Amino acid sequence: MTAVLVPMLTAGSVVIAAIATPFVGGIMQARIGDRLRAAVTANFELADKLRALDPAQWQQEIHDIEGLLRRQVQQIKERDEAELNRRRDWSALLVLAFILAIGGLLLWLFYRLDQWWSWALYWLLALFLLAMTAAGFDRALHPPAPAPSNSDPAPSGQNAA
């Protein structure tokens, strides 16, 4: 029983970790963005308070805070632009799940046969599934750019006919 259960639990934990990693990373990025926005708000308030005290006395600090604010706002802008340009291809994950389900069943069958040729096929299939998992996640997280549609205007210098 443990000879079958251990490989199945190992494969299951690897698949769960591979699926959960992007979600956890997204949550962490959201927290970093929220902290950055809160820091910008706090720095704006600090700069306003320093200007209200005595601008001549606090001129260097106000200048430093303004420089920091420019960098923080630029970073927020870059994060927001990256978020707008990010695409996901969820169908690639569905195809990957289908391939892993069939491949997992075949791995289990090859494992149960316990012959020299079944072990060779087992490891070939395991390497293939590992490569397909990497390719599937890469395709899902970094899909190719969409092809231009026929309704797009022709580039200048070319005939539309």
Side-chain angles (χ1 to χ4, degrees), residues 41-68:
T41 303
N43 285 336
F44 269 121
E45 291 173 2
L46 177 62
D48 289 340
K49 288 179 183 177
L50 290 177
R51 283 187 194 103
L53 292 176
D54 183 14
Q57 182 181 2
W58 295 99
Q59 187 62 35
Q60 181 61 40
E61 287 79 6
I62 292 171
H63 179 70
D64 292 344
I65 291 173
E66 287 173 347
L68 177 63

Side-chain angles (χ1 to χ4, degrees), residues 89-99:
D89 185 7
W90 297 110
S91 62
L93 288 180
L94 293 175
V95 170
L96 178 62
F98 180 73
I99 290 172

Side-chain angles (χ1 to χ4, degrees), residues 2 5-7 9 11 14 20 23 27 33 41 47-48 54 71 77 82 95 102 111 114-115 133 139 141 147 155 161:
T2 60
L5 193 58
V6 170
L9 289 176
V14 168
F23 295 120
I27 291 169
T41 303
D48 289 340
D54 183 14
R71 290 179 46 213
K77 179 183 164 229
V95 170
I102 292 174
Y111 177 81
D114 198 24
Q115 300 290 322
T133 301
R139 175 67 181 235
L141 299 177

Side-chain angles (χ1 to χ4, degrees), residues 69-148:
L69 280 168
R70 282 188 184 88
R71 290 179 46 213
Q72 287 174 328
V73 168
Q74 180 64 27
Q75 188 173 13
I76 289 173
K77 179 183 164 229
E78 289 171 1
R79 285 176 181 268
D80 289 347
E81 284 177 356
E83 183 67 27
L84 287 174
N85 294 332
R86 187 178 69 181
R87 297 182 321 274
R88 299 287 185 249
D89 185 7
W90 297 110
S91 62
L93 288 180
L94 293 175
V95 170
L96 178 62
F98 180 73
I99 290 172
L100 289 177
I102 292 174
L105 179 63
L106 289 173
L107 283 176
W108 179 72
L109 290 173
F110 287 146
Y111 177 81
R112 297 282 295 169
L113 289 175
D114 198 24
Q115 300 290 322
W116 70 268
W117 56 269
S118 69
W119 284 109
L121 290 175
Y122 175 91
W123 286 110
L124 283 173
L125 181 60
L127 290 174
F128 173 75
L129 289 176
L130 184 64
M132 292 306 293
T133 301
F137 276 110
D138 182 58
R139 175 67 181 235
L141 299 177
H142 306 102

